[in-house]
Amino acid sequence: MRVRKLTLAAMALAAGLSLTACQGDDGTDPSAAPSAASSASSSASSSNGGSESAGGGSAASGQEGGTDSAGKSPGGTGGTGEGGKTAACRTDELEITAMDATVDGDTEGTVAVDLKNGGGRDCTLAGYAGVDLKTNAGSLSAKRTGRQAPQIVLAAGDTVTFGITYPVNDTGGSGVRVTGLVVTPPNETESVTLDWPGAATLPVTDGSGTPVQVGPMGSAGQGG
């Protein structure tokens, strides 16, 4: 009888140990909860980080193709450098002619000088041309009128005109005979010699200064 009771007690103890072991293997064990929560949090963080990274990539791409604080494209030149400036007109590119432009009733004579761009490219003219009259008494240099001389961009095939004024010889004397006109374009050293289209003579002066004046590029009529 005693042996049977001991056997029953042993069996009950074994059953209790078996039940405890089964509960320890169950997936609902609280000790496993922190690990699962940690995994879920890590997954969510990774997902959010991926979205922010993509957004940052879009922002960077937008900056590369956008404008800076001054409204200019990054890497844009914003203008033309020194190498892009239009070069000055050379004497050998210009077709220079002169004609009488005196208007009846004027107290002074006028000669208009045309400079046509025959160089096949745009070029610039700025300031005054050099003007000398050849006379039987020697060379006579024209004086500048002093008017503003803007820079002119002369397109291929276009013409710009300036004027030369001189006193009319109404003294009744023979005066100074003009034999030629020498024109030197602005900033050039090579000159062109033309026939003088104006009055044949100039009045004799007292030698205190030249009676001939030249206007700037683009002037018309009475020498500017």
Side-chain angles (χ1 to χ4, degrees), residues 108 156 218:
E108 292 181 312

Side-chain angles (χ1 to χ4, degrees), residues 128-131 142-146 162-165 212-216 219 223-224:
Y128 287 78
V131 171
K143 180 182 178 180
R144 297 176 178 181
T145 61
F162 69 88
I164 302 169
T165 59
V212 183
Q213 289 192 318
V214 56
S219 65

Side-chain angles (χ1 to χ4, degrees), residues 18-33:
S18 176
L19 179 59
T20 301
C22 290
Q23 288 178 345
D25 291 339
D26 193 347
T28 59
D29 186 351
S31 63

Side-chain angles (χ1 to χ4, degrees), residues 113 115 126-131 142 144 162 182-187 214-217:
V113 179
L115 293 84
Y128 287 78
V131 171
R144 297 176 178 181
F162 69 88
V182 180
V183 177
T184 308
N187 303 309
V214 56
M217 287 292 130

